[in-house]
Each structure stands twice: as C-alpha cells, then as structure tokens.
C-alpha cells in the first residue's frame, strides 16, 4: 500500500531545485460535466470512474507563496489571516507537510478566490491546484503536467482537473499507486460555450463531499449502475465536443448530474443537497427549454445550479436568471 508521502517522494526524486523567494500563480475552478463520485482509494483520492470537466476561466484561485520564518504556516484567504485551528488551515498544513524540505520549513500562503465563496461554491479544486503550481514554481522543480495533476489530486480529487482552461479529462487509472490517475486537457476549444453560476442558497452544506461519496459507495443500492452510466455519458459528452453539438453536450451533462444525485439519495442515510430553490430552478430551466431556449444545468455537492448555454443566448438567460454569474472557460483574464 502506498501513502501520499511515497507518491510525493517518487515524483520529486531527481528534481532540480532552484528556489525563488516567491511564486504567484492562478488556477481556474472547474465544474464536471461528467462527475467524479466515489473513490476506490481514499488515501490517494483514486476515483472509481473517469470524469470530464469544464474550467471557469477567470474564476478560480490566485496563490502567492513564500518561505515563512515563523513557527507555523501563515495562511491568508481573501485578505484575512486565518486562525491555526481553521479547517482550511488544518487541511492545507497537512498537505504542505508532504513538501517540507528541509523538514520544518514553513510557508506563507496568500490565496484570493475569485469564485463567489459566499455562495458555497467549491474552491478546494482551484485552491489545491494553485498550491501545487506555486510549490513547483517556487522550488523550480519544473515538473511535467501529469505529475502536477497527480500531486493536486492528493490534495483534493477534483483539483487534478484544475490545472488547465477548457475541457479536461481525468483518467481514473487502475494501478494501486495512482501513477496512472491524472488529468489532461482536451484539444478542442469551444469558444462560444458558457457556464453560469446560479447562486440560490448560500447556507453551509451539511455533509462534505468526501463523506457523502464514501456513504454512497458503501450503502447506495444504485451505485452498482454508476460506473456504467459514467462510461455512457462520458462517451456521449466526448462525441458532442468533437461534433460541437450543444444539445447533445447539455443533455448528457444534465442527465449525468441527475444520475449522480439519484445514487446519493439512495444512500443510507440519504444524502440530499437540493433545497426548494434548487427544484424550482430546475423546473425553470426545463420550462425555458420547452420554450425553445438552448439551456441545460448541472449540479454538484450543494444546492446551487450551474447553467450551460452559448454566448448568443447569454443576455436572454442572464435576464431570466437573476444574479447569474457567467464564466467564459477560455478567457483567463477578467473581462
Ligand atoms: C466533481 N465533486 O466531479 C464532483 C461532483 C462534487 C460533485 O469532486 O474528497 O472536493 O477532495 O476528492 O474533489 C467534490 O469532491 O472531493 C467533487 P475529495 P472533492 O467535481
């Protein structure tokens, strides 16, 4: 059995080091069109299935990293210094423990998230991807992208997909050491595709996704069907991207999200992230589509919706869905 340190030591063996005093990087957030839901190894964050995501362009995590002289890491999030017992600091410190060379080295991390955090949108994916990019840049390791993806995955599964803009495919792999479980970008660019964050409810989620996945894998009678569903949906989404077929892409992504939520609702105890506002918004998407608008949704481990549409329909859709924040997956700079 491998642990995280074994993987880090293996990937960093023979790396050159030419340390900079500071590194500043950005990693975009990502939303899965075909979801990651369930691990085959929870220590190494190895997924049961492949997944495929779309980046959020300029919405993500800016991270500045420096060597810190104090007794503990110094972590600042969105301009505020976090207390050492803050859950984000504990999680980050544990991750950084894998990279302290010489032992005892401390880091000063400044992270600014441009994704609306108040709305409970996950920032762990872009957060951990940015930390890994910053570690690489500050130490001068110049690791290949595949290694960066594996390291980000050790922080949070979906972080493996947050190193690039556009469509990204995370290969589940089959090895027990996870060296074949990494993400890579797809070559296709679909420049008029848009993804919008629909903020419906900003209350904190009750069950974290790590625990929700574990419970689903262990207790949901519907989980057996999930890997087959992912294989079908991933192939449909991959083909829709090749064909630039928006209806096929949206339909497969929406159905995949609903199937994921069905598997977790069948867990015991059930995992239900939906709130009344979520169901009401789903009905509004379906009603807009029945009226001829090319609009689809996806949902993650929370009550909010992400909408998929094309630039030509953006103004109409922004008018119908109050507060919608549109992201352009291929545009890293703020418009
Ligand atoms: C995804 N989600 O594919 C899925 C869909 C949420 C719903 O990846 O335990 O924060 O750190 O590997 O990546 C959220 O889970 O979980 C997630 P860990 P992660 O985006």
């Amino acid at each position: 059995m491998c642990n995280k340190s074994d993987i880090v030591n293996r990937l960093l063996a023979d790396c050159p080091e030419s340390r900079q005093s500071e590194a500043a990087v950005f990693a975009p957030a990502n939303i899965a069109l075909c979801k990651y839901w369930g691990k085959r190894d929870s220590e190494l964050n190895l997924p049961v299935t492949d997944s495929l995501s779309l980046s959020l362009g300029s919405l993500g995590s800016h991270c500045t990293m420096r060597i810190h002289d104090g007794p503990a890491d110094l972590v600042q999030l969105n301009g505020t210094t976090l207390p050492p017992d803050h859950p984000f600091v504990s999680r980050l410190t544990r991750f950084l423990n894998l990279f302290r060379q010489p032992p005892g080295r401390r880091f000063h991390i400044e992270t600014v998230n441009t994704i609306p955090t108040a709305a409970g949108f996950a920032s762990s994916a872009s957060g951990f991807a940015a930390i890994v990019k910053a570690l690489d840049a500050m130490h001068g390791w110049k690791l290949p992208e595949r290694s960066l993806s594996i390291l980000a995955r050790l922080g949070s599964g979906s972080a493996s997909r947050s190193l690039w803009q556009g469509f990204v495919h995370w290969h589940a792999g089959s090895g027990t050491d996870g060296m074949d479980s990494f993400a890579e970008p797809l070559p296709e660019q679909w420049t008029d595709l848009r993804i919008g964050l629909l903020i419906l409810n900003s209350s904190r989620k009750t069950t974290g996704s790590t625990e929700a996945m574990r419970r689903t894998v262990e207790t949901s009678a519907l989980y057996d069907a999930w890997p087959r569903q992912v294989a079908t949906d991933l192939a449909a989404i991959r083909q829709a991207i090749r064909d630039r077929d928006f209806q096929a892409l949206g339909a497969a992504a929406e159905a995949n999200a609903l199937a994921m939520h069905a598997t977790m609702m069948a867990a015991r105890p059930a995992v239900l992230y939906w709130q009344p506002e979520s169901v009401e918004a789903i009905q509004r998407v379906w009603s807009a589509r029945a009226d001829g608008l090319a609009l689809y949704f996806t949902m993650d481990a929370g009550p909010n919706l992400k909408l998929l549409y094309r630039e030509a329909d953006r103004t109409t859709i922004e008018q119908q869905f109050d507060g919608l924040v549109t992201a352009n997956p291929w545009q890293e700079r703020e418009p």
Side-chain angles (χ1 to χ4, degrees):
M1 280 287 282
C2 281
N3 62 29
K4 286 182 177 161
S5 292
D6 299 332
I7 303 300
V8 170
N9 292 339
R10 209 184 305 176
L11 290 173
L12 297 186
D14 309 324
C15 258
E17 210 174 305
S18 57
R19 185 161 64 78
Q20 314 287 309
S21 56
E22 176 180 317
V25 301
F26 171 77
N30 76 79
I31 301 298
L33 302 178
C34 187
K35 307 294 187 188
Y36 149 52
W37 198 252
K39 306 182 195 208
R40 59 188 168 85
D41 180 325
S42 54
E43 159 71 13
L44 299 180
N45 286 336
L46 297 178
V48 173
T49 69
D50 288 21
S51 56
L52 194 152
S53 62
L54 185 59
S55 68
L56 290 187
S58 65
L59 302 180
S61 301
H62 293 271
C63 174
T64 305
M65 180 179 283
R66 303 178 190 89
I67 302 296
H68 182 54
D69 285 333
D73 296 326
L74 175 61
V75 181
Q76 292 171 304
L77 181 62
N78 297 338
T80 304
T81 300
L82 298 181
D85 59 349
H86 190 284
F88 177 68
V89 178
S90 326
R91 188 168 172 194
L92 193 52
T93 301
R94 261 184 282 129
F95 185 67
L96 291 170
N97 287 345
L98 299 165
F99 301 96
R100 301 190 199 278
Q101 259 341 306
R105 174 173 281 173
R106 301 291 171 200
F107 300 95
H108 176 183
I109 309 281
E110 260 183 276
T111 294
V112 175
N113 289 328
T114 51
I115 188 158
T117 38
F121 283 104
S123 49
S124 71
S126 57
F128 278 102
I131 292 286
V132 166
K133 279 175 105 168
L135 284 164
D136 181 67
M138 195 181 75
H139 293 93
W141 294 328
K142 297 190 166 56
L143 285 167
E145 288 187 330
R146 180 179 296 199
S147 303
L148 295 177
S149 177
I150 291 172
L151 292 178
R153 192 199 75 220
L154 299 178
S156 184
S158 50
S160 67
R161 301 186 307 234
S162 257
L163 295 161
W164 306 274
Q165 296 289 5
F167 296 113
V168 177
H169 183 168
W170 176 12
H171 304 275
S174 56
T176 52
D177 62 4
M179 299 305 269
D180 59 356
S181 183
F182 58 88
E184 58 186 359
L186 298 187
E188 290 90 351
Q189 296 211 352
W190 189 336
T191 49
D192 73 333
L193 185 63
R194 297 289 178 268
I195 183 160
L197 306 180
L198 185 60
I199 300 161
L200 299 163
N201 183 312
S202 56
S203 57
R204 273 197 70 77
K205 60 182 169 193
T206 42
T207 315
S209 39
T210 309
E211 160 59 16
M213 280 187 213
R214 187 198 60 73
R215 202 188 296 169
T216 307
V217 173
E218 288 177 10
T219 70
S220 172
L222 302 189
Y223 195 73
D224 274 355
W226 176 246
R228 283 195 304 282
Q229 190 62 57
V230 167
T232 305
D233 294 340
L234 193 83
I237 290 169
R238 194 66 195 84
Q239 192 58 44
I241 293 169
R242 282 191 204 99
D243 298 344
R244 288 245 178 166
D245 182 339
F246 179 71
Q247 270 78 9
L249 180 85
E254 187 174 297
N256 181 264
L258 289 167
M260 174 186 73
H261 283 275
T263 65
M264 65 180 98
M265 286 180 209
R268 304 199 179 181
V271 179
L272 178 66
Y273 287 116
W274 298 11
Q275 293 292 333
E277 303 91 306
S278 320
V279 178
E280 192 259 345
I282 290 172
Q283 305 283 11
R284 280 203 288 146
V285 169
W286 286 345
S287 148
R289 205 153 74 221
D291 291 342
L293 202 55
L295 175 66
Y296 295 85
F297 72 86
T298 184
M299 282 181 80
D300 296 292
N304 299 308
L305 268 65
K306 287 89 183 189
L307 305 186
L308 293 165
Y309 41 95
R310 287 172 296 192
E311 174 59 27
D313 294 322
R314 179 171 61 83
T315 312
T316 310
I317 290 166
E318 284 178 349
Q319 279 163 0
Q320 288 191 24
F321 292 86
D322 211 24
L324 185 65
V325 177
T326 296
N328 176 344
W330 284 271
Q331 187 174 325
E332 184 147 320
R333 304 240 165 269
E334 309 257 356

